[in-house]
Amino acid sequence: AQSVTQPDIHITVSEGASLELRCNYSYGATPYLFWYVQSPGQGLQLLLKYFSGDTLVQGIKGFEAEFKRSQSSFNLRKPSVHWSDAAEYFCAVGAAGNTGKLIFGQGTTLQVKP
Amino acid sequence: GAVVSQHPSRVICKSGTSVKIECRSLDFQATTMFWYRQFPKKSLMLMATSNEGSKATYEQGVEKDKFLINHASLTLSTLTVTSAHPEDSSFYICSARVGSETQYFGPGTRLLVL
């Protein structure tokens, strides 16, 4: 069965430091992968997505993610974190069968220290 | 582009009443919309898939008679929580499917049932 795991429930980084949020997926074929960000009390905003092609994907707000098939991972990175990046981050994989459904990870809460 | 709105943003109602939540795609047409429920500090739980002009498809365990979904046009889907009870209090988020796999999310509706 398809699944998404975000091993880190909570991460704290200092402002200006680099960031990596982990995401592992279980999927039989080439997955459609997504990262979303959610600020408190808000909906989800799409940061980036991977469908095919270049395995390093650039997104909005200076984020990037790298698809590594051998590791079944799609980790999100940012070289220098800003205080406004504090939020909840969700990794998701598109479900099989062209239903358009997404399977979400449990989410990672990012806290940014001044 | 790809903006999704929800109305209302928050609603308080008495137990036993019904509440309708609207989800609109503002600058595109969406044949498929999704309704999610999110508990505090939890990931999103898919409730149902809403297809324009046809009956919604509900996920296992979701009561279709309690959560009525109508997708009457290519830009509007509604979720009606019938005979709401305090346990229905939650954050409800809709999304609209663009292309084959990408979902764009609304800002969410906070429902509190007293």
Side-chain angles (χ1 to χ4, degrees):
Chain A
Q2 296 168 270
S3 65
V4 178
T5 302
Q6 293 180 243
D8 305 303
I9 296 175
H10 192 117
I11 283 184
T12 300
V13 298
S14 298
E15 189 169 17
S18 63
L19 170 70
E20 183 169 32
L21 301 182
R22 296 184 290 164
C23 173
N24 294 99
Y25 66 89
S26 173
Y27 190 79
T30 299
Y32 293 161
L33 294 161
F34 305 83
W35 274 100
Y36 286 90
V37 61
Q38 184 182 32
S39 297
Q42 301 295 316
L44 277 67
Q45 181 181 22
L46 179 65
L47 285 176
L48 48 78
K49 60 186 177 183
Y50 172 78
F51 286 0
S52 65
D54 192 346
T55 56
L56 185 62
V57 180
Q58 302 297 320
I60 63 172
K61 302 184 179 186
F63 285 93
E64 66 177 27
E66 186 170 12
F67 170 59
K68 292 186 177 180
R69 184 188 300 276
S70 61
Q71 298 178 20
S72 297
S73 69
F74 188 57
N75 294 348
L76 182 71
R77 300 193 295 249
K78 186 169 185 177
S80 178
V81 169
H82 188 262
W83 64 266
S84 61
D85 293 324
E88 189 80 15
Y89 290 80
F90 292 97
C91 180
V93 63
N98 195 30
T99 62
K101 291 182 183 180
L102 293 177
I103 298 170
F104 283 89
Q106 305 93 311
T108 297
T109 302
L110 173 65
Q111 184 178 0
V112 180
K113 294 189 301 184
Chain B
V3 179
V4 178
S5 71
Q6 276 183 249
H7 178 80
S9 59
R10 59 178 60 210
V11 56
I12 301 173
C13 69
K14 293 182 179 179
S15 185
T17 61
S18 296
V19 175
K20 179 184 286 188
I21 303 170
E22 294 185 348
C23 177
R24 294 182 184 273
S25 55
L26 297 185
D27 50 1
F28 64 101
Q29 293 182 331
T31 55
T32 304
M33 292 183 173
F34 300 90
W35 286 96
Y36 295 84
R37 184 171 177 177
Q38 186 179 33
F39 293 98
K41 299 191 183 300
K42 296 290 186 183
S43 188
L44 281 73
M45 182 192 81
L46 178 64
M47 298 174 66
T49 302
S50 170
N51 294 298
E52 188 269 335
S54 64
K55 290 183 179 180
T57 303
Y58 291 82
E59 295 299 301
Q60 192 172 9
V62 177
E63 298 176 61
K64 63 179 181 180
D65 294 330
K66 179 162 189 64
F67 298 100
L68 300 178
I69 292 172
N70 186 297
H71 195 155
S73 77
L74 288 171
T75 59
L76 174 63
S77 175
T78 60
L79 168 68
T80 301
V81 183
T82 63
S83 187
H85 288 93
E87 58 265 30
D88 298 323
S89 298
S90 193
F91 193 55
Y92 293 88
I93 308 177
C94 73
S95 70
R97 180 181 178 182
V98 176
S100 61
E101 298 293 338
T102 305
Q103 291 183 29
Y104 289 89
F105 286 80
T109 297
R110 176 79 56 194
L111 170 63
L112 177 61
V113 184
L114 301 177

